[in-house]
Amino acid sequence: VIERYASRFKKQNQLHATLKKHIRRLLLIGIPLALLFTAASPWIAPHIWKPDIGKVPSHAYDALLVGLCSLIILLLALYQYITATLRGLRAYSASAGLETCSAVLLLILSAIAARFDGAPGLLIAYATAILIPLILYWLLLKQFFQSNSEPMTPDAEAATDESAAHLSRFARWTLVRLILVMTFGFLTLWSVGFLSPALA
């Protein structure tokens, strides 16, 4: 949705306010959900990671893994939102730069984390590879907004009201489409466990 309407919001001098509102909404929803999943990790983890036979489950380790996975999902949501905004502004080089920076960091940090045994190091490397470019490009976006701020005209205010209804309809359809795509992807990943042979 933001990719499609970023240029219109920019013309109406509403993009910065819209970005802050949506990012605040993502954080207000994502952080409590991440904490909830972390608290429920003793019940979630056994269905995701198969425990070794005879090994006593560690709730602290499960909470760490689930918490890191929840953090990564929240960071990915913010990451996709910023890259979509850059594409909507036709800043394709900036969007590519963000993705390239993240990929290079992931390669370097994963190589470092691979020297240590265990999944937490790789998850921390993944989260860091998303977080650093996210902060960097958000600061660049703020500089862009400060240098391109203009007072809103009466015509732009009227256009904002007109576009709000169309944006809501488009957002509802996009949400349904996203839920369907994620559901199909989840079922595909979940089915791997039933198709692969059991390990003795």
Side-chain angles (χ1 to χ4, degrees):
V1 175
I2 193 63
E3 182 175 352
R4 177 167 177 170
Y5 288 93
S7 58
R8 181 181 298 183
F9 285 143
K10 179 179 177 295
K11 290 178 183 177
Q12 299 168 357
N13 200 28
Q14 290 291 305
L15 183 58
H16 192 193
T18 302
L19 277 179
K20 289 197 296 186
K21 181 179 72 174
H22 289 176
I23 288 176
R24 192 181 304 117
R25 183 183 299 170
L26 279 171
L27 292 174
L28 287 175
I29 295 173
I31 292 175
L33 281 176
L35 295 174
L36 178 63
F37 280 119
T38 303
S41 59
W43 298 275
I44 296 175
H47 299 288
I48 303 175
W49 298 287
K50 300 298 182 182
D52 295 336
I53 298 175
K55 182 179 179 181
V56 178
S58 172
H59 296 315
Y61 187 74
D62 290 342
L64 176 62
L65 290 182
V66 173
L68 286 172
C69 288
S70 301
L71 173 64
I72 288 171
I73 291 172
L74 176 58
L75 290 175
L76 282 173
L78 297 170
Y79 175 90
Q80 293 297 334
Y81 194 81
I82 296 299
T83 53
T85 303
L86 293 172
R87 290 194 301 269
L89 294 172
R90 305 298 187 267
Y92 297 112
S93 58
S95 177
L98 173 58
E99 294 172 356
T100 303
C101 180
S102 179
V104 171
L105 276 174
L106 180 59
L107 177 63
I108 296 172
L109 295 175
S110 296
I112 296 172
R115 301 179 64 87
F116 302 93
D117 189 22
L122 289 172
L123 291 175
I124 293 171
Y126 190 19
T128 306
I130 302 169
L131 181 61
I132 292 176
L134 196 60
I135 295 173
L136 174 62
Y137 278 82
W138 172 247
L139 293 176
L140 292 175
L141 262 178
K142 287 191 69 173
Q143 291 179 2
F144 170 77
F145 293 136
Q146 291 170 358
S147 61
N148 290 274
S149 59
E150 298 177 357
M152 194 173 186
T153 63
D155 292 339
E157 292 179 359
T160 302
D161 295 335
E162 181 181 349
S163 64
H166 183 61
L167 176 61
S168 297
R169 290 193 298 270
F170 183 74
R172 283 194 293 268
W173 157 245
T174 303
L175 177 62
V176 172
R177 176 182 173 276
L178 178 62
I179 291 174
L180 288 174
V181 170
M182 292 179 66
T183 302
F184 295 150
F186 171 76
L187 291 176
T188 302
L189 293 173
W190 190 264
S191 64
V192 172
F194 296 98
L195 296 175
S196 59
L199 298 177

